Amino acid sequence: MIEDNDRLLQQFFSEAASQQIADDGFTERVMQHLPSRMNWFVRIWNTVCIGLFVVLFIVFRGWDLLAVQLEVMLRTMSTHSFSVNLLMVFTVIFGLLFVGVGEVALKVKNEV
């Protein structure tokens, strides 16, 4: 019985989702003028992620790690080989990933 109800609901909503009502862009204009809590979420998320990055940069003495990497890079440029600190690379990727999540969420919200 529950499976039949689920199937009927799925059929009903799939038929309703395929219907388009011509409104000459009215819905889009209204959605753009509505206040969005997502904008606040993105700003807060970006602030938290940048703050976390700054705290981790200070705790792990990121300036020392960057100085060492720069020194290694400059000394080894003549041999065309690089030594990469994977912890630093993953930290930067981690930071970019979580800051980017907010931007992607905002775009998805605006597209829907």
mmCIF file of all heavy atoms in Angstrom, residues 27-78:
data_model
loop_
_atom_site.group_PDB
_atom_site.id
_atom_site.type_symbol
_atom_site.label_atom_id
_atom_site.label_comp_id
_atom_site.label_asym_id
_atom_site.label_seq_id
_atom_site.Cartn_x
_atom_site.Cartn_y
_atom_site.Cartn_z
ATOM 1 N N THR A 27 8.569 35.544 -12.715
ATOM 2 C CA THR A 27 9.059 34.781 -11.569
ATOM 3 C C THR A 27 10.532 35.068 -11.308
ATOM 4 O O THR A 27 10.940 35.263 -10.156
ATOM 5 C CB THR A 27 8.855 33.270 -11.810
ATOM 6 O OG1 THR A 27 7.473 33.025 -12.080
ATOM 7 C CG2 THR A 27 9.274 32.458 -10.614
ATOM 8 N N GLU A 28 11.322 35.133 -12.361
ATOM 9 C CA GLU A 28 12.750 35.428 -12.211
ATOM 10 C C GLU A 28 12.966 36.805 -11.595
ATOM 11 O O GLU A 28 13.806 36.983 -10.713
ATOM 12 C CB GLU A 28 13.467 35.341 -13.560
ATOM 13 C CG GLU A 28 13.578 33.947 -14.105
ATOM 14 C CD GLU A 28 14.486 33.078 -13.253
ATOM 15 O OE1 GLU A 28 15.509 33.595 -12.742
ATOM 16 O OE2 GLU A 28 14.163 31.898 -13.086
ATOM 17 N N ARG A 29 12.210 37.791 -12.051
ATOM 18 C CA ARG A 29 12.362 39.155 -11.526
ATOM 19 C C ARG A 29 11.968 39.217 -10.055
ATOM 20 O O ARG A 29 12.629 39.882 -9.258
ATOM 21 C CB ARG A 29 11.546 40.132 -12.352
ATOM 22 C CG ARG A 29 12.092 40.342 -13.758
ATOM 23 C CD ARG A 29 11.405 41.509 -14.455
ATOM 24 N NE ARG A 29 9.949 41.395 -14.532
ATOM 25 C CZ ARG A 29 9.288 40.801 -15.517
ATOM 26 N NH1 ARG A 29 9.945 40.253 -16.525
ATOM 27 N NH2 ARG A 29 7.976 40.761 -15.513
ATOM 28 N N VAL A 30 10.921 38.516 -9.697
ATOM 29 C CA VAL A 30 10.485 38.503 -8.296
ATOM 30 C C VAL A 30 11.534 37.826 -7.427
ATOM 31 O O VAL A 30 11.895 38.326 -6.359
ATOM 32 C CB VAL A 30 9.113 37.799 -8.150
ATOM 33 C CG1 VAL A 30 8.781 37.536 -6.694
ATOM 34 C CG2 VAL A 30 8.026 38.631 -8.792
ATOM 35 N N MET A 31 12.061 36.705 -7.890
ATOM 36 C CA MET A 31 13.063 35.967 -7.106
ATOM 37 C C MET A 31 14.334 36.791 -6.904
ATOM 38 O O MET A 31 14.974 36.710 -5.855
ATOM 39 C CB MET A 31 13.395 34.636 -7.782
ATOM 40 C CG MET A 31 12.254 33.641 -7.777
ATOM 41 S SD MET A 31 11.664 33.235 -6.132
ATOM 42 C CE MET A 31 13.027 32.274 -5.522
ATOM 43 N N GLN A 32 14.691 37.614 -7.887
ATOM 44 C CA GLN A 32 15.887 38.441 -7.748
ATOM 45 C C GLN A 32 15.692 39.561 -6.741
ATOM 46 O O GLN A 32 16.644 40.014 -6.129
ATOM 47 C CB GLN A 32 16.281 39.023 -9.104
ATOM 48 C CG GLN A 32 16.846 37.988 -10.042
ATOM 49 C CD GLN A 32 17.124 38.544 -11.425
ATOM 50 O OE1 GLN A 32 16.802 39.681 -11.712
ATOM 51 N NE2 GLN A 32 17.718 37.724 -12.271
ATOM 52 N N HIS A 33 14.465 40.016 -6.535
ATOM 53 C CA HIS A 33 14.212 41.108 -5.603
ATOM 54 C C HIS A 33 13.905 40.632 -4.186
ATOM 55 O O HIS A 33 13.848 41.469 -3.275
ATOM 56 C CB HIS A 33 13.069 41.988 -6.112
ATOM 57 C CG HIS A 33 13.450 42.776 -7.326
ATOM 58 N ND1 HIS A 33 14.383 43.777 -7.296
ATOM 59 C CD2 HIS A 33 13.038 42.702 -8.609
ATOM 60 C CE1 HIS A 33 14.534 44.281 -8.503
ATOM 61 N NE2 HIS A 33 13.723 43.640 -9.327
ATOM 62 N N LEU A 34 13.707 39.349 -3.993
ATOM 63 C CA LEU A 34 13.449 38.844 -2.650
ATOM 64 C C LEU A 34 14.730 38.872 -1.825
ATOM 65 O O LEU A 34 15.816 38.598 -2.338
ATOM 66 C CB LEU A 34 12.924 37.406 -2.719
ATOM 67 C CG LEU A 34 11.513 37.220 -3.255
ATOM 68 C CD1 LEU A 34 11.199 35.734 -3.355
ATOM 69 C CD2 LEU A 34 10.497 37.913 -2.374
ATOM 70 N N PRO A 35 14.606 39.212 -0.544
ATOM 71 C CA PRO A 35 15.807 39.169 0.293
ATOM 72 C C PRO A 35 16.239 37.710 0.466
ATOM 73 O O PRO A 35 15.416 36.816 0.646
ATOM 74 C CB PRO A 35 15.355 39.769 1.620
ATOM 75 C CG PRO A 35 13.870 39.619 1.629
ATOM 76 C CD PRO A 35 13.428 39.644 0.191
ATOM 77 N N SER A 36 17.526 37.516 0.377
ATOM 78 C CA SER A 36 18.032 36.151 0.453
ATOM 79 C C SER A 36 18.858 35.964 1.717
ATOM 80 O O SER A 36 19.822 36.693 1.957
ATOM 81 C CB SER A 36 18.886 35.843 -0.778
ATOM 82 O OG SER A 36 19.494 34.599 -0.646
ATOM 83 N N ARG A 37 18.483 34.997 2.520
ATOM 84 C CA ARG A 37 19.288 34.674 3.694
ATOM 85 C C ARG A 37 20.563 33.970 3.273
ATOM 86 O O ARG A 37 21.527 33.907 4.010
ATOM 87 C CB ARG A 37 18.497 33.791 4.653
ATOM 88 C CG ARG A 37 17.348 34.525 5.296
ATOM 89 C CD ARG A 37 16.724 33.685 6.353
ATOM 90 N NE ARG A 37 16.308 32.395 5.820
ATOM 91 C CZ ARG A 37 15.249 31.737 6.181
ATOM 92 N NH1 ARG A 37 14.463 32.240 7.078
ATOM 93 N NH2 ARG A 37 14.961 30.574 5.654
ATOM 94 N N MET A 38 20.593 33.435 2.055
ATOM 95 C CA MET A 38 21.772 32.731 1.577
ATOM 96 C C MET A 38 22.948 33.683 1.456
ATOM 97 O O MET A 38 24.085 33.300 1.680
ATOM 98 C CB MET A 38 21.465 32.060 0.243
ATOM 99 C CG MET A 38 22.481 31.039 -0.129
ATOM 100 S SD MET A 38 22.572 29.786 1.144
ATOM 101 C CE MET A 38 22.644 28.351 0.173
ATOM 102 N N ASN A 39 22.700 34.946 1.076
ATOM 103 C CA ASN A 39 23.788 35.915 0.992
ATOM 104 C C ASN A 39 24.467 36.086 2.344
ATOM 105 O O ASN A 39 25.684 36.180 2.423
ATOM 106 C CB ASN A 39 23.272 37.259 0.491
ATOM 107 C CG ASN A 39 22.922 37.212 -0.985
ATOM 108 O OD1 ASN A 39 23.431 36.384 -1.722
ATOM 109 N ND2 ASN A 39 22.031 38.094 -1.403
ATOM 110 N N TRP A 40 23.679 36.156 3.403
ATOM 111 C CA TRP A 40 24.250 36.266 4.739
ATOM 112 C C TRP A 40 25.023 35.005 5.089
ATOM 113 O O TRP A 40 26.105 35.074 5.689
ATOM 114 C CB TRP A 40 23.157 36.517 5.783
ATOM 115 C CG TRP A 40 22.668 37.917 5.738
ATOM 116 C CD1 TRP A 40 21.492 38.359 5.197
ATOM 117 C CD2 TRP A 40 23.343 39.072 6.218
ATOM 118 N NE1 TRP A 40 21.398 39.708 5.317
ATOM 119 C CE2 TRP A 40 22.525 40.183 5.953
ATOM 120 C CE3 TRP A 40 24.555 39.277 6.854
ATOM 121 C CZ2 TRP A 40 22.896 41.472 6.297
ATOM 122 C CZ3 TRP A 40 24.919 40.569 7.194
ATOM 123 C CH2 TRP A 40 24.101 41.637 6.915
ATOM 124 N N PHE A 41 24.486 33.868 4.718
ATOM 125 C CA PHE A 41 25.171 32.612 5.005
ATOM 126 C C PHE A 41 26.524 32.568 4.312
ATOM 127 O O PHE A 41 27.513 32.170 4.904
ATOM 128 C CB PHE A 41 24.314 31.423 4.556
ATOM 129 C CG PHE A 41 25.020 30.108 4.656
ATOM 130 C CD1 PHE A 41 25.240 29.519 5.886
ATOM 131 C CD2 PHE A 41 25.501 29.469 3.518
ATOM 132 C CE1 PHE A 41 25.907 28.318 5.980
ATOM 133 C CE2 PHE A 41 26.172 28.280 3.601
ATOM 134 C CZ PHE A 41 26.373 27.686 4.850
ATOM 135 N N VAL A 42 26.570 33.001 3.062
ATOM 136 C CA VAL A 42 27.822 32.987 2.313
ATOM 137 C C VAL A 42 28.831 33.926 2.951
ATOM 138 O O VAL A 42 30.003 33.581 3.107
ATOM 139 C CB VAL A 42 27.578 33.353 0.830
ATOM 140 C CG1 VAL A 42 28.872 33.595 0.101
ATOM 141 C CG2 VAL A 42 26.787 32.247 0.146
ATOM 142 N N ARG A 43 28.384 35.108 3.331
ATOM 143 C CA ARG A 43 29.301 36.051 3.973
ATOM 144 C C ARG A 43 29.827 35.516 5.290
ATOM 145 O O ARG A 43 31.020 35.619 5.590
ATOM 146 C CB ARG A 43 28.603 37.387 4.186
ATOM 147 C CG ARG A 43 28.366 38.124 2.896
ATOM 148 C CD ARG A 43 27.723 39.452 3.145
ATOM 149 N NE ARG A 43 27.428 40.079 1.867
ATOM 150 C CZ ARG A 43 26.430 40.893 1.675
ATOM 151 N NH1 ARG A 43 25.615 41.196 2.667
ATOM 152 N NH2 ARG A 43 26.229 41.431 0.495
ATOM 153 N N ILE A 44 28.951 34.945 6.093
ATOM 154 C CA ILE A 44 29.384 34.388 7.382
ATOM 155 C C ILE A 44 30.311 33.203 7.150
ATOM 156 O O ILE A 44 31.344 33.067 7.819
ATOM 157 C CB ILE A 44 28.153 33.989 8.234
ATOM 158 C CG1 ILE A 44 27.412 35.255 8.681
ATOM 159 C CG2 ILE A 44 28.563 33.153 9.434
ATOM 160 C CD1 ILE A 44 26.077 34.988 9.330
ATOM 161 N N TRP A 45 29.957 32.327 6.209
ATOM 162 C CA TRP A 45 30.786 31.159 5.912
ATOM 163 C C TRP A 45 32.180 31.586 5.451
ATOM 164 O O TRP A 45 33.185 31.050 5.907
ATOM 165 C CB TRP A 45 30.107 30.299 4.849
ATOM 166 C CG TRP A 45 30.855 29.054 4.526
ATOM 167 C CD1 TRP A 45 31.591 28.809 3.415
ATOM 168 C CD2 TRP A 45 30.956 27.874 5.325
ATOM 169 N NE1 TRP A 45 32.132 27.559 3.460
ATOM 170 C CE2 TRP A 45 31.765 26.960 4.624
ATOM 171 C CE3 TRP A 45 30.453 27.500 6.549
ATOM 172 C CZ2 TRP A 45 32.076 25.707 5.125
ATOM 173 C CZ3 TRP A 45 30.760 26.246 7.042
ATOM 174 C CH2 TRP A 45 31.561 25.372 6.336
ATOM 175 N N ASN A 46 32.248 32.563 4.556
ATOM 176 C CA ASN A 46 33.547 33.048 4.085
ATOM 177 C C ASN A 46 34.357 33.654 5.222
ATOM 178 O O ASN A 46 35.566 33.418 5.326
ATOM 179 C CB ASN A 46 33.371 34.078 2.969
ATOM 180 C CG ASN A 46 32.989 33.444 1.661
ATOM 181 O OD1 ASN A 46 33.131 32.242 1.476
ATOM 182 N ND2 ASN A 46 32.499 34.257 0.748
ATOM 183 N N THR A 47 33.707 34.416 6.085
ATOM 184 C CA THR A 47 34.402 35.027 7.215
ATOM 185 C C THR A 47 34.943 33.970 8.167
ATOM 186 O O THR A 47 36.091 34.053 8.615
ATOM 187 C CB THR A 47 33.456 35.983 7.965
ATOM 188 O OG1 THR A 47 32.949 36.943 7.040
ATOM 189 C CG2 THR A 47 34.163 36.682 9.100
ATOM 190 N N VAL A 48 34.141 32.965 8.461
ATOM 191 C CA VAL A 48 34.585 31.886 9.351
ATOM 192 C C VAL A 48 35.755 31.124 8.732
ATOM 193 O O VAL A 48 36.750 30.837 9.407
ATOM 194 C CB VAL A 48 33.414 30.927 9.673
ATOM 195 C CG1 VAL A 48 33.898 29.657 10.346
ATOM 196 C CG2 VAL A 48 32.394 31.623 10.556
ATOM 197 N N CYS A 49 35.658 30.817 7.451
ATOM 198 C CA CYS A 49 36.739 30.065 6.794
ATOM 199 C C CYS A 49 38.023 30.875 6.725
ATOM 200 O O CYS A 49 39.115 30.342 6.973
ATOM 201 C CB CYS A 49 36.307 29.641 5.392
ATOM 202 S SG CYS A 49 35.050 28.345 5.405
ATOM 203 N N ILE A 50 37.921 32.144 6.410
ATOM 204 C CA ILE A 50 39.118 32.980 6.365
ATOM 205 C C ILE A 50 39.699 33.133 7.765
ATOM 206 O O ILE A 50 40.917 33.071 7.947
ATOM 207 C CB ILE A 50 38.789 34.343 5.724
ATOM 208 C CG1 ILE A 50 38.511 34.149 4.241
ATOM 209 C CG2 ILE A 50 39.924 35.347 5.934
ATOM 210 C CD1 ILE A 50 37.946 35.362 3.545
ATOM 211 N N GLY A 51 38.839 33.305 8.752
ATOM 212 C CA GLY A 51 39.311 33.382 10.139
ATOM 213 C C GLY A 51 40.010 32.103 10.562
ATOM 214 O O GLY A 51 41.074 32.139 11.208
ATOM 215 N N LEU A 52 39.445 30.962 10.203
ATOM 216 C CA LEU A 52 40.069 29.678 10.528
ATOM 217 C C LEU A 52 41.415 29.541 9.831
ATOM 218 O O LEU A 52 42.393 29.082 10.427
ATOM 219 C CB LEU A 52 39.149 28.527 10.111
ATOM 220 C CG LEU A 52 39.653 27.116 10.371
ATOM 221 C CD1 LEU A 52 39.820 26.875 11.869
ATOM 222 C CD2 LEU A 52 38.706 26.094 9.775
ATOM 223 N N PHE A 53 41.485 29.983 8.579
ATOM 224 C CA PHE A 53 42.742 29.938 7.847
ATOM 225 C C PHE A 53 43.797 30.806 8.532
ATOM 226 O O PHE A 53 44.940 30.383 8.696
ATOM 227 C CB PHE A 53 42.530 30.388 6.400
ATOM 228 C CG PHE A 53 43.798 30.446 5.606
ATOM 229 C CD1 PHE A 53 44.390 29.284 5.155
ATOM 230 C CD2 PHE A 53 44.409 31.665 5.345
ATOM 231 C CE1 PHE A 53 45.571 29.325 4.430
ATOM 232 C CE2 PHE A 53 45.584 31.716 4.627
ATOM 233 C CZ PHE A 53 46.168 30.551 4.167
ATOM 234 N N VAL A 54 43.406 32.006 8.956
ATOM 235 C CA VAL A 54 44.355 32.902 9.624
ATOM 236 C C VAL A 54 44.828 32.292 10.930
ATOM 237 O O VAL A 54 46.035 32.306 11.244
ATOM 238 C CB VAL A 54 43.716 34.293 9.853
ATOM 239 C CG1 VAL A 54 44.547 35.146 10.785
ATOM 240 C CG2 VAL A 54 43.514 35.001 8.521
ATOM 241 N N VAL A 55 43.914 31.725 11.705
ATOM 242 C CA VAL A 55 44.292 31.097 12.978
ATOM 243 C C VAL A 55 45.249 29.927 12.733
ATOM 244 O O VAL A 55 46.280 29.805 13.405
ATOM 245 C CB VAL A 55 43.040 30.625 13.755
ATOM 246 C CG1 VAL A 55 43.406 29.713 14.910
ATOM 247 C CG2 VAL A 55 42.255 31.836 14.242
ATOM 248 N N LEU A 56 44.934 29.070 11.769
ATOM 249 C CA LEU A 56 45.821 27.944 11.482
ATOM 250 C C LEU A 56 47.162 28.412 10.937
ATOM 251 O O LEU A 56 48.204 27.827 11.237
ATOM 252 C CB LEU A 56 45.153 26.989 10.480
ATOM 253 C CG LEU A 56 43.975 26.190 11.019
ATOM 254 C CD1 LEU A 56 43.320 25.396 9.904
ATOM 255 C CD2 LEU A 56 44.421 25.274 12.137
ATOM 256 N N PHE A 57 47.149 29.486 10.153
ATOM 257 C CA PHE A 57 48.393 30.036 9.620
ATOM 258 C C PHE A 57 49.284 30.516 10.761
ATOM 259 O O PHE A 57 50.496 30.297 10.755
ATOM 260 C CB PHE A 57 48.072 31.188 8.665
ATOM 261 C CG PHE A 57 49.243 31.669 7.862
ATOM 262 C CD1 PHE A 57 49.648 30.965 6.745
ATOM 263 C CD2 PHE A 57 49.926 32.813 8.225
ATOM 264 C CE1 PHE A 57 50.724 31.396 5.986
ATOM 265 C CE2 PHE A 57 50.995 33.258 7.479
ATOM 266 C CZ PHE A 57 51.398 32.555 6.355
ATOM 267 N N ILE A 58 48.674 31.140 11.767
ATOM 268 C CA ILE A 58 49.436 31.624 12.922
ATOM 269 C C ILE A 58 49.885 30.462 13.800
ATOM 270 O O ILE A 58 51.039 30.399 14.236
ATOM 271 C CB ILE A 58 48.607 32.647 13.721
ATOM 272 C CG1 ILE A 58 48.437 33.924 12.888
ATOM 273 C CG2 ILE A 58 49.245 32.958 15.065
ATOM 274 C CD1 ILE A 58 47.441 34.918 13.452
ATOM 275 N N VAL A 59 48.982 29.523 14.077
ATOM 276 C CA VAL A 59 49.317 28.391 14.956
ATOM 277 C C VAL A 59 50.444 27.540 14.377
ATOM 278 O O VAL A 59 51.369 27.158 15.090
ATOM 279 C CB VAL A 59 48.058 27.522 15.215
ATOM 280 C CG1 VAL A 59 48.421 26.194 15.855
ATOM 281 C CG2 VAL A 59 47.063 28.275 16.086
ATOM 282 N N PHE A 60 50.381 27.270 13.079
ATOM 283 C CA PHE A 60 51.402 26.431 12.456
ATOM 284 C C PHE A 60 52.569 27.248 11.888
ATOM 285 O O PHE A 60 53.401 26.705 11.168
ATOM 286 C CB PHE A 60 50.779 25.568 11.341
ATOM 287 C CG PHE A 60 49.887 24.493 11.864
ATOM 288 C CD1 PHE A 60 48.524 24.555 11.665
ATOM 289 C CD2 PHE A 60 50.412 23.426 12.568
ATOM 290 C CE1 PHE A 60 47.690 23.559 12.147
ATOM 291 C CE2 PHE A 60 49.588 22.421 13.056
ATOM 292 C CZ PHE A 60 48.230 22.496 12.846
ATOM 293 N N ARG A 61 52.615 28.541 12.249
ATOM 294 C CA ARG A 61 53.703 29.421 11.821
ATOM 295 C C ARG A 61 53.893 29.317 10.307
ATOM 296 O O ARG A 61 54.949 28.962 9.803
ATOM 297 C CB ARG A 61 54.979 29.106 12.572
ATOM 298 C CG ARG A 61 54.836 29.296 14.079
ATOM 299 C CD ARG A 61 56.060 28.863 14.847
ATOM 300 N NE ARG A 61 57.272 29.496 14.368
ATOM 301 C CZ ARG A 61 57.864 30.539 14.950
ATOM 302 N NH1 ARG A 61 57.326 31.062 16.029
ATOM 303 N NH2 ARG A 61 58.977 31.042 14.443
ATOM 304 N N GLY A 62 52.835 29.652 9.609
ATOM 305 C CA GLY A 62 52.818 29.541 8.159
ATOM 306 C C GLY A 62 53.862 30.378 7.468
ATOM 307 O O GLY A 62 54.373 29.999 6.413
ATOM 308 N N TRP A 63 54.222 31.523 8.060
ATOM 309 C CA TRP A 63 55.246 32.355 7.439
ATOM 310 C C TRP A 63 56.580 31.637 7.392
ATOM 311 O O TRP A 63 57.335 31.796 6.435
ATOM 312 C CB TRP A 63 55.359 33.703 8.158
ATOM 313 C CG TRP A 63 55.653 33.576 9.623
ATOM 314 C CD1 TRP A 63 56.872 33.506 10.208
ATOM 315 C CD2 TRP A 63 54.701 33.479 10.675
ATOM 316 N NE1 TRP A 63 56.741 33.372 11.567
ATOM 317 C CE2 TRP A 63 55.414 33.350 11.893
ATOM 318 C CE3 TRP A 63 53.307 33.489 10.727
ATOM 319 C CZ2 TRP A 63 54.801 33.234 13.131
ATOM 320 C CZ3 TRP A 63 52.715 33.374 11.968
ATOM 321 C CH2 TRP A 63 53.436 33.237 13.138
ATOM 322 N N ASP A 64 56.881 30.827 8.422
ATOM 323 C CA ASP A 64 58.120 30.038 8.396
ATOM 324 C C ASP A 64 58.057 28.971 7.306
ATOM 325 O O ASP A 64 59.037 28.742 6.590
ATOM 326 C CB ASP A 64 58.371 29.367 9.750
ATOM 327 C CG ASP A 64 58.807 30.357 10.820
ATOM 328 O OD1 ASP A 64 59.273 31.460 10.452
ATOM 329 O OD2 ASP A 64 58.680 30.025 12.018
ATOM 330 N N LEU A 65 56.908 28.315 7.210
ATOM 331 C CA LEU A 65 56.758 27.296 6.177
ATOM 332 C C LEU A 65 56.883 27.907 4.778
ATOM 333 O O LEU A 65 57.530 27.333 3.892
ATOM 334 C CB LEU A 65 55.398 26.593 6.309
ATOM 335 C CG LEU A 65 55.200 25.747 7.569
ATOM 336 C CD1 LEU A 65 53.747 25.287 7.668
ATOM 337 C CD2 LEU A 65 56.133 24.570 7.571
ATOM 338 N N LEU A 66 56.278 29.074 4.590
ATOM 339 C CA LEU A 66 56.383 29.740 3.293
ATOM 340 C C LEU A 66 57.819 30.168 3.005
ATOM 341 O O LEU A 66 58.297 30.050 1.872
ATOM 342 C CB LEU A 66 55.452 30.947 3.236
ATOM 343 C CG LEU A 66 53.964 30.650 3.106
ATOM 344 C CD1 LEU A 66 53.158 31.939 3.171
ATOM 345 C CD2 LEU A 66 53.673 29.902 1.825
ATOM 346 N N ALA A 67 58.507 30.678 4.027
ATOM 347 C CA ALA A 67 59.894 31.095 3.838
ATOM 348 C C ALA A 67 60.769 29.910 3.464
ATOM 349 O O ALA A 67 61.622 30.009 2.575
ATOM 350 C CB ALA A 67 60.413 31.769 5.109
ATOM 351 N N VAL A 68 60.564 28.785 4.125
ATOM 352 C CA VAL A 68 61.347 27.587 3.812
ATOM 353 C C VAL A 68 61.046 27.125 2.391
ATOM 354 O O VAL A 68 61.960 26.791 1.622
ATOM 355 C CB VAL A 68 61.065 26.462 4.835
ATOM 356 C CG1 VAL A 68 61.626 25.134 4.368
ATOM 357 C CG2 VAL A 68 61.611 26.836 6.200
ATOM 358 N N GLN A 69 59.759 27.106 2.020
ATOM 359 C CA GLN A 69 59.400 26.682 0.675
ATOM 360 C C GLN A 69 59.979 27.610 -0.380
ATOM 361 O O GLN A 69 60.471 27.158 -1.421
ATOM 362 C CB GLN A 69 57.878 26.607 0.516
ATOM 363 C CG GLN A 69 57.229 25.462 1.254
ATOM 364 C CD GLN A 69 57.767 24.128 0.789
ATOM 365 O OE1 GLN A 69 57.843 23.855 -0.399
ATOM 366 N NE2 GLN A 69 58.153 23.294 1.728
ATOM 367 N N LEU A 70 59.959 28.908 -0.109
ATOM 368 C CA LEU A 70 60.524 29.868 -1.051
ATOM 369 C C LEU A 70 62.034 29.667 -1.178
ATOM 370 O O LEU A 70 62.576 29.684 -2.285
ATOM 371 C CB LEU A 70 60.211 31.294 -0.607
ATOM 372 C CG LEU A 70 60.682 32.410 -1.528
ATOM 373 C CD1 LEU A 70 60.019 32.273 -2.893
ATOM 374 C CD2 LEU A 70 60.383 33.760 -0.924
ATOM 375 N N GLU A 71 62.687 29.450 -0.048
ATOM 376 C CA GLU A 71 64.134 29.218 -0.083
ATOM 377 C C GLU A 71 64.471 27.952 -0.859
ATOM 378 O O GLU A 71 65.373 27.937 -1.707
ATOM 379 C CB GLU A 71 64.687 29.124 1.342
ATOM 380 C CG GLU A 71 66.181 28.887 1.385
ATOM 381 C CD GLU A 71 66.701 28.703 2.799
ATOM 382 O OE1 GLU A 71 65.910 28.829 3.754
ATOM 383 O OE2 GLU A 71 67.891 28.422 2.933
ATOM 384 N N VAL A 72 63.746 26.889 -0.580
ATOM 385 C CA VAL A 72 63.987 25.627 -1.286
ATOM 386 C C VAL A 72 63.736 25.810 -2.778
ATOM 387 O O VAL A 72 64.508 25.335 -3.612
ATOM 388 C CB VAL A 72 63.105 24.499 -0.702
ATOM 389 C CG1 VAL A 72 63.112 23.279 -1.591
ATOM 390 C CG2 VAL A 72 63.545 24.156 0.698
ATOM 391 N N MET A 73 62.663 26.516 -3.112
ATOM 392 C CA MET A 73 62.341 26.723 -4.515
ATOM 393 C C MET A 73 63.442 27.519 -5.214
ATOM 394 O O MET A 73 63.881 27.162 -6.309
ATOM 395 C CB MET A 73 61.002 27.461 -4.649
ATOM 396 C CG MET A 73 60.547 27.641 -6.081
ATOM 397 S SD MET A 73 59.005 28.543 -6.227
ATOM 398 C CE MET A 73 59.541 30.192 -5.839
ATOM 399 N N LEU A 74 63.906 28.589 -4.572
ATOM 400 C CA LEU A 74 64.947 29.413 -5.191
ATOM 401 C C LEU A 74 66.271 28.669 -5.325
ATOM 402 O O LEU A 74 66.989 28.833 -6.301
ATOM 403 C CB LEU A 74 65.128 30.699 -4.392
ATOM 404 C CG LEU A 74 63.954 31.678 -4.465
ATOM 405 C CD1 LEU A 74 64.188 32.863 -3.538
ATOM 406 C CD2 LEU A 74 63.712 32.138 -5.888
ATOM 407 N N ARG A 75 66.602 27.841 -4.338
ATOM 408 C CA ARG A 75 67.865 27.093 -4.395
ATOM 409 C C ARG A 75 67.822 25.957 -5.419
ATOM 410 O O ARG A 75 68.849 25.573 -5.949
ATOM 411 C CB ARG A 75 68.212 26.533 -3.027
ATOM 412 C CG ARG A 75 68.648 27.585 -2.054
ATOM 413 C CD ARG A 75 68.984 26.947 -0.725
ATOM 414 N NE ARG A 75 69.252 27.975 0.249
ATOM 415 C CZ ARG A 75 70.397 28.086 0.907
ATOM 416 N NH1 ARG A 75 71.358 27.219 0.703
ATOM 417 N NH2 ARG A 75 70.567 29.051 1.769
ATOM 418 N N THR A 76 66.659 25.414 -5.650
ATOM 419 C CA THR A 76 66.569 24.265 -6.551
ATOM 420 C C THR A 76 66.101 24.636 -7.953
ATOM 421 O O THR A 76 65.937 23.764 -8.795
ATOM 422 C CB THR A 76 65.620 23.198 -5.974
ATOM 423 O OG1 THR A 76 64.335 23.773 -5.791
ATOM 424 C CG2 THR A 76 66.160 22.643 -4.675
ATOM 425 N N MET A 77 65.846 25.915 -8.200
ATOM 426 C CA MET A 77 65.380 26.312 -9.534
ATOM 427 C C MET A 77 66.402 25.987 -10.611
ATOM 428 O O MET A 77 66.034 25.672 -11.737
ATOM 429 C CB MET A 77 65.048 27.798 -9.569
ATOM 430 C CG MET A 77 63.676 28.117 -9.055
ATOM 431 S SD MET A 77 63.350 29.868 -9.169
ATOM 432 C CE MET A 77 62.259 29.882 -10.557
ATOM 433 N N SER A 78 67.672 26.044 -10.263
ATOM 434 C CA SER A 78 68.690 25.770 -11.272
ATOM 435 C C SER A 78 68.682 24.308 -11.699
ATOM 436 O O SER A 78 69.089 23.971 -12.803
ATOM 437 C CB SER A 78 70.069 26.160 -10.753
ATOM 438 O OG SER A 78 70.381 25.383 -9.610
#
